[in-house]
């Protein structure tokens, strides 16, 4: 991973929830939890290649949210793969362990 990329991926991974809170939007709003947000970030890529890392973090966040009952948005439509609830301790443990296992690949 390019130097400085990991912190930007981490920042991107929390960006949708931070924006919901900061802008006083409801959690998982159609503005911040939308696949189109990732596409918008990718359109900004010519401004800085580092935007790719932020977009990767946001995409990761949306992928995990898509696995829950509430899902995410693609445009105005909600998409849910509904395999877990966000409060499921076993699912959260699995996701955490998976991330810890793949983390060395990015260091």
């Amino acid at each position: 991973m390019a130097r400085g990329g990991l912190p930007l991926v981490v920042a991107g991974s929390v960006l949708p929830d931070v924006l919901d809170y900061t802008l006083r939007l409801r959690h998982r709003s159609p503005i911040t939890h939308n696949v189109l947000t990732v596409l918008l970030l990718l359109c900004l890529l010519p401004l800085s290649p580092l935007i790719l890392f932020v977009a990767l973090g946001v995409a990761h966040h949306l992928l995990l949210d898509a696995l829950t009952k509430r899902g995410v948005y693609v445009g105005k439509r909600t998409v849910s793969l509904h395999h877990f609830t966000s409060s499921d301790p076993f699912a959260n443990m699995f996701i955490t362990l998976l991330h810890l296992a793949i983390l060395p690949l990015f260091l």
Side-chain angles (χ1 to χ4, degrees), residues 63-80:
L63 175 64
L64 292 176
D65 279 354
L67 296 174
T68 66
K69 186 176 181 178
R70 288 187 54 201
V72 296
Y73 293 89
V74 178
K76 293 182 180 180
R77 186 173 189 194
T78 303
V79 174
S80 172

Side-chain angles (χ1 to χ4, degrees), residues 15-55:
L15 186 62
D17 289 341
V18 169
L19 288 175
D20 280 343
Y21 178 79
T22 304
L23 300 174
R24 297 183 179 190
L25 302 170
R26 69 178 173 83
H27 184 235
R28 293 195 192 172
S29 75
I31 297 169
T32 60
H33 286 71
N34 201 314
V35 174
L36 298 180
T37 304
V38 177
L39 296 177
L40 175 66
L41 284 170
L42 292 176
C43 288
L44 298 175
L45 200 53
L47 299 176
S48 170
L50 295 177
I51 290 174
L52 178 61
F53 296 113
V54 177

Side-chain angles (χ1 to χ4, degrees), residues 3 6 41 83 85 105-106:
R3 177 170 236 147
L6 184 61
L41 284 170
H83 294 288
T85 61
L105 299 173
F106 296 96

